[in-house]
Amino acid sequence: MDSRKSRSFLLAILGLLASVYSCNNNDIQLALPGKTVVTKSEKKTTKTPQSPLAEFDIQKSNHLTDSAKFIAGMEVKDTRAIAFGGTQSVIAQLTQSSVWRTHAASFNKAWAKLEAQQLSKVRRWAEEELKLINQTSQPIFYPFSGPDFLYAYSFFPNSREYVLVGLEPIGQLPNLENLSPTEMKLKLQGINASVDDILGLSFFRTNDMKVDLAKQGVLPILSVFMARTHQRILDVQYIGLDKEGNIQALPQNHQDKSWVPGVKISFVKEGTSQAKTLYYFSTDLSDSGLKKTPGFNKFVKNLDHPVSYLKAASYLMHDQHFSTIRNVILSQSTRLLQDDSGIPVKYFGKQKWNLKFYGNYTQPIALFNKRYQTDLKKMYNSDHKIKPLNFGIGYNFKVNQSNLMLAIALQGSSFPHPAASVSPK
């Protein structure tokens, strides 16, 4: 071997040894999509200004994402570069248990059915009928949602910001590493019970949520849906809305009931580099409830040109006790997608809204039979161009019994119009 080849060979060996030494000192290289590789020792001082992901803690993101995949019954890949001297993550090791394997098999079967019968059809419908909305990144405002990130994302995948609201508490992700086998089994059974309705019916039943989510809260369910829609969770922060509608870090044992407790989840679609945000707020949206938390309406009014979504909303906004949130939605939204359980059609004046209907309006389920809308039925009967829905949605979840209405704020009205910017002011 000549001297030049010998020197090149020696330099290559030295470079490999340096890499192994670096990794053995926990200086493991990790990368996110679109992010320059940063070693752990460099992380505190090195950032990539052009990447919105540079501000997030990679190790925390790994743990959050692995936890979400675990409870969603999805494979947890090693995130610690075993080939370079790292060790397998504890959560990845937990997937070897028979309890988790049973959970994963059951969840995967249910999800495959949901994907084939429901979600794939929802996405195709949205690509066609919500094309103009999804060409923007407007915020999605989804009151009475509970933890239903799944359908918000399926209808509106390109939004940069999702605002979900429900009565259910926030809760926390389970500390998987510290659970005994029995506790793990019970935790996974609780997850299955909590998502069973939405997997089969397309919505959460309010009474069931009161029981299922009273202890664990919505955060585990939100995480499941993020994992199943192939999101990487970047960060989770507990927040609150103060009286002025400003987002604040929520202090421990916070007692000011005028504040609205919430959680902020930063996430990114796998294979992309644009960070997105999900807010979930736990609050009472009745008129009396909103009087106690004045900051909530202020926050919503500062959303930049939101698109609102309503599904299985218990017909609450048919009642005068929910007139405030109804008026906020009507005054702020550029678009509104809803089933008949949302805002009654009589509130959509022809001078301000263009209405487009889908599916079939029959009658509310027995629990809400007093909420039948004669004027809505006449609109369906008189419009022969209404397109059918090939999926079920809302309380009448069977195909050919579901309905959707897309309301579009008209130009020249006092309503705002679509814009690309989405962050609250």
Side-chain angles (χ1 to χ4, degrees), residues 19 21-29 38-42:
S19 297
Y21 176 80
S22 176
C23 289
N24 284 335
N25 280 278
N26 296 319
D27 203 11
I28 301 167
Q29 291 186 328
V38 178
T39 62
K40 191 163 78 170
S41 61
E42 294 173 323

Side-chain angles (χ1 to χ4, degrees), residues 120-398:
S120 60
K121 297 175 182 179
V122 168
R123 291 195 300 269
R124 284 196 293 271
W125 184 87
E127 287 172 1
E128 181 65 28
E129 302 299 332
L130 305 179
K131 184 183 300 182
L132 292 179
I133 295 174
N134 288 326
Q135 286 176 353
T136 75
S137 53
Q138 294 171 255
I140 304 303
F141 178 49
Y142 186 3
F144 309 102
S145 63
D148 182 23
F149 172 74
L150 178 60
Y151 279 88
Y153 183 80
S154 296
F155 279 114
F156 307 103
N158 295 332
S159 176
R160 292 268 301 279
E161 188 172 74
Y162 300 83
V163 180
L164 276 57
V165 192
L167 286 171
E168 297 73 32
I170 298 160
Q172 57 187 2
L173 282 174
N175 191 347
L176 300 171
E177 296 93 327
N178 294 334
L179 296 180
S180 69
T182 299
E183 291 170 332
M184 181 70 74
K185 183 176 182 179
L186 291 174
K187 178 61 66 175
L188 294 178
Q189 287 176 342
I191 295 293
N192 282 334
S194 297
V195 302
D196 186 60
D197 280 343
I198 199 165
L199 295 185
L201 304 176
S202 86
F203 61 92
F204 289 102
R205 286 189 279 206
T206 303
N207 289 337
D208 289 349
M209 280 198 295
K210 288 179 181 178
V211 177
D212 294 338
L213 302 182
K215 293 182 179 181
Q216 70 179 15
V218 301
L219 193 51
I221 310 306
L222 290 171
S223 300
V224 165
F225 291 150
M226 287 196 161
R228 282 285 172 173
T229 54
H230 306 291
Q231 316 298 327
R232 180 187 180 99
I233 300 177
L234 299 170
D235 196 15
V236 174
Q237 299 176 354
Y238 291 93
I239 59 169
L241 294 178
D242 64 19
K243 295 178 182 179
E244 301 304 317
N246 300 313
I247 296 174
Q248 308 278 5
L250 191 66
Q252 286 187 336
N253 302 318
H254 187 72
Q255 299 298 321
D256 189 342
K257 294 186 178 181
S258 68
W259 278 44
V260 179
V263 65
K264 176 184 177 182
I265 305 176
S266 301
F267 64 99
V268 62
K269 174 77 172 180
E270 290 180 3
T272 70
S273 60
Q274 181 60 65
K276 299 185 177 189
T277 304
L278 166 69
Y279 295 103
Y280 173 84
F281 294 107
S282 176
T283 194
D284 177 2
L285 292 176
S286 68
D287 290 355
S288 59
L290 290 175
K291 282 183 180 180
K292 299 175 184 177
T293 54
F296 182 79
N297 281 352
K298 294 177 182 178
F299 172 82
V300 175
K301 289 178 180 179
N302 278 330
L303 291 173
D304 196 352
H305 305 93
V307 173
S308 293
Y309 176 49
L310 297 166
K311 172 170 64 68
S314 299
Y315 298 87
L316 292 173
M317 285 172 291
H318 289 230
D319 195 309
Q320 281 304 112
H321 297 301
F322 287 84
S323 62
T324 301
I325 187 62
R326 182 179 67 220
N327 291 334
V328 167
I329 294 170
L330 291 172
S331 65
Q332 296 302 117
S333 304
T334 63
R335 303 287 192 272
L336 169 61
L337 181 68
Q338 66 167 26
D339 62 24
D340 65 293
S341 72
I343 297 175
V345 71
K346 66 182 181 181
Y347 290 103
F348 294 87
K350 293 182 179 180
Q351 302 302 316
K352 294 182 178 180
W353 296 95
N354 179 40
L355 305 181
K356 190 172 183 179
F357 300 98
Y358 301 90
N360 185 27
Y361 179 66
T362 53
Q363 60 184 8
I365 60 175
L367 181 63
F368 302 111
N369 58 13
K370 294 182 179 180
R371 300 305 186 182
Y372 181 79
Q373 299 180 66
T374 304
D375 47 359
L376 181 58
K377 184 62 175 179
K378 289 180 179 178
M379 291 179 178
Y380 267 84
N381 288 342
S382 62
D383 188 347
H384 302 293
K385 296 181 180 179
I386 293 177
K387 296 180 181 180
L389 291 173
N390 65 344
F391 56 87
I393 196 78
Y395 294 126
N396 284 312
F397 58 90
K398 294 182 179 180

